[in-house]
Amino acid sequence: MAHRFTCIERVQFSDTDMAGIVHFSNFFRYMERVEHAFFRSLGFSIVDKPVEGEERVGWPRVHASCDYMAPLRVEEEFQCELIVEEVRSKVIRHFIRFWKLDGTLAAEGRITAACVRKDRETGQMKAVVIPQRFRDKIEAAPPELLKRPEKKIAPYKS
């Protein structure tokens, strides 16, 4: 079962402000991208495909936050680390860290996503129990992974 996922990203020019530093709002895009990559690594898509005997589910965000520690700059590579912080009956909470490749923590954030289905009669989204096919592959991480280390990763070598 998975509770941690990492990937390397690169800051694009369009992600930055006039000083060449990532604009704060783009960290939310990075969080969403690493979440989608995590789902793909498990054989899922964030856009759920119908499964025989089940209706499709969606994962709207009900909370998102981000704290910033060190700037990321244009063309800089960085590591995204997603840790599954909590899995409840209808909600998954992801804790996401962004590491400069020298091991400096650049930012950390959280996304809470509810599992929902569209009501056939009203068209409204309604929170539902997370299907077993997701529960079979996703679990909450051990608490020690959530503690903030001073430096986490070794320098990246290409």
Side-chain angles (χ1 to χ4, degrees), residues 41-122:
S41 77
L42 300 175
F44 301 125
S45 171
I46 203 73
V47 180
D48 191 34
K49 296 174 183 147
V51 174
E52 192 174 324
E54 287 186 25
E55 292 184 49
R56 290 173 44 175
V57 295
W59 300 94
R61 280 67 178 147
V62 295
H63 174 84
S65 65
C66 193
D67 295 313
Y68 311 96
M69 288 77 169
L72 292 174
R73 300 182 186 281
V74 67
E75 295 198 4
E76 183 175 7
E77 288 185 313
F78 60 98
Q79 183 182 56
C80 302
E81 176 187 32
L82 179 146
I83 300 169
V84 178
E85 185 172 19
E86 183 179 17
V87 180
R88 295 193 313 239
S89 65
K90 299 178 182 180
V91 171
I92 296 177
R93 183 168 40 200
H94 301 295
F95 180 56
I96 300 163
R97 291 185 178 119
F98 302 96
W99 298 96
K100 295 168 87 62
L101 295 187
D102 68 0
T104 303
L105 182 62
E108 58 186 18
R110 285 185 164 83
I111 295 176
T112 304
C115 185
V116 301
R117 282 201 181 103
K118 194 183 233 184
D119 184 280
R120 291 181 184 186
E121 293 177 21
T122 67

Side-chain angles (χ1 to χ4, degrees), residues 16-33:
T16 63
D17 59 18
M18 293 292 287
I21 296 170
V22 171
H23 189 270
F24 76 92
S25 63
N26 285 309
F27 282 91
F28 293 92
R29 289 182 181 178
Y30 298 154
M31 285 191 284
E32 188 168 64
R33 284 203 308 241

